[in-house]
């Protein structure tokens, strides 16, 4: 498993897509974004245009276990991104610790090569509101779990990758 | 072109000034800060004192194309910083994508050696307000453009530089 | 002196604890957290449980000079963390520049091996409120001071360390 970390608009997705193409495998894209407003709809459309065709698209805003379970061993799966998935569970009122544990198990069992994109969100003044703090903590724990499980971790800054593992 | 990235108060400016001095060239400083309040006025004065004399100062809060066009081929230009320049255009209601494209062209044509300082701003919880999100996106795209154009990119953390390119 | 930097929930404390154990010295833990609400109390308890026994605990939310002065030359001191200490002084209305200078002197005089944990907080959109901006500036200057004084600096991302010095 490969983990691609970075800040917002750092070039994480493009980096991850390049890694997926480089495998030469059939490509499966697990999208976690939900088009709940015009800004998000535009963002999803832009990402899709950037990515180009030749991807089997699966939408999985919440249930990554099922989506990962459908992937075949000769495929590369691009999961973009863990941060939106975690946000969706937060907004649904789910237990983020339990969901993180379920994702860990699903990744361990997935037969395909998997590339996960995730955001770094804790490099700022601690947020005022408790929900944002809880999310920041959950995202930090999720990234630590993903990094521990991955055999390759890269941090993307301004489109450039730093190898962390 | 050299790009110096980093968070707020990370030592980016001092790092960039050191790189400028190390060239041994005549030094031109393009300042983008505007003293619109007491805090900013103090910050500008402190930066100027830190920098010392022996810099040809040009103030260019908005029009970097003209400022870069005035530089000579035997000079090193320190542009500090791209983030305040982008903020000035945001506050002026300008199109940030178009301004980023104009800056790209001006940098490509500038005969001097150029060092650009810019902030990383997207390593946090996504901001509540739409303007901050739009700025964060524009800054991320600007940093990716600058990094792609640069032949050297450093990330500064607590005064220490990580070579990215 | 060793400085361990990172964002919130990045695995900084676990990294620093590992470095402390690796010295084989007697371990002293200087805690700067104050249990002023339920969330903080839970966080302190969780950190303590993660850390395990075999630490001599000293609580020093404000006076690090006295706490560092008590350490012996055969000990390793884990100071966790400089960010909460700075926050405590901010909330107490103290001069953060003066406190940073006092900490610098205390670290220089401390006979023990010291590991300091501190947060990166400036990688985001500039905060709206002046207090948060002042804190971000003070934290940035503090981290630059600590990094200059340290003979080893690591940046922790998702539990993985990048050597900066």
């Amino acid at each position: 498993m490969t983990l691609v970390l970075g800040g917002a608009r750092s070039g994480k997705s493009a980096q991850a897509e390049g890694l997926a193409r480089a495998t030469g495998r059939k490509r499966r894209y697990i999208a976690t974004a939900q088009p709940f407003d015009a800004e998000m709809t535009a963002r999803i459309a832009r990402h899709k245009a950037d990515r180009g065709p030749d991807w089997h698209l699966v939408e999985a805003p919440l249930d990554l276990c099922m989506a990962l379970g459908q992937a075949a061993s000769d495929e590369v799966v691009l999961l973009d991104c863990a941060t939106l998935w975690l946000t969706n569970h937060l907004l649904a009122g789910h237990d983020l610790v339990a969901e993180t544990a379920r994702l860990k198990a699903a990744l361990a069992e997935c037969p395909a090569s998997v590339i996960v994109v995730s955001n770094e969100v804790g490099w700022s003044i601690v947020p005022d509101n408790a929900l944002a703090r809880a999310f920041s903590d959950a995202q930090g724990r999720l990234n630590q779990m993903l990094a521990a499980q991955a055999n390759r971790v890269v941090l993307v800054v301004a489109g450039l990758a730093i190898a962390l593992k």
Side-chain angles (χ1 to χ4, degrees), chain A residues 21-157:
Chain A
R21 283 175 208 289
T23 64
R25 289 166 170 242
K26 281 192 292 180
R27 295 192 292 272
R28 181 180 287 261
Y29 187 89
I30 302 182
T32 58
Q34 296 186 97
F36 48 75
D37 65 12
E39 184 181 328
M40 205 64 194
T41 304
R43 200 178 277 244
I44 291 171
R46 198 169 49 233
H47 265 287
K48 191 168 179 181
D50 287 351
R51 197 161 68 234
D54 304 324
W55 292 84
H56 178 72
L57 173 66
V58 180
E59 299 195 20
L62 289 166
D63 192 351
L64 287 179
C65 299
M66 185 191 285
L68 287 166
Q70 292 166 347
S73 60
D74 62 342
E75 291 181 326
V76 59
V77 173
L78 175 46
L79 195 174
D80 193 356
C81 71
T83 299
L84 282 173
W85 167 80
L86 195 68
T87 305
N88 294 337
H89 279 290
L90 181 82
L91 297 177
H94 297 166
D95 177 342
L96 302 184
V97 173
E99 292 299 332
T100 297
R102 289 185 65 215
L103 176 58
K104 182 179 177 178
L107 285 167
E109 288 169 19
C110 181
S113 177
V114 182
I115 301 170
V116 179
V117 175
S118 192
N119 281 58
E120 284 293 317
V121 305
W123 302 55
S124 64
I125 295 286
V126 173
D128 279 340
N129 83 75
L131 197 68
R133 278 202 303 281
F135 182 78
S136 177
D137 279 2
Q139 175 72 76
R141 278 192 291 262
L142 172 60
N143 286 351
Q144 287 189 55
M145 178 281 280
L146 292 169
Q149 190 132 339
N151 53 325
R152 177 171 54 167
V153 181
V154 297
L155 178 65
V156 183
V157 182

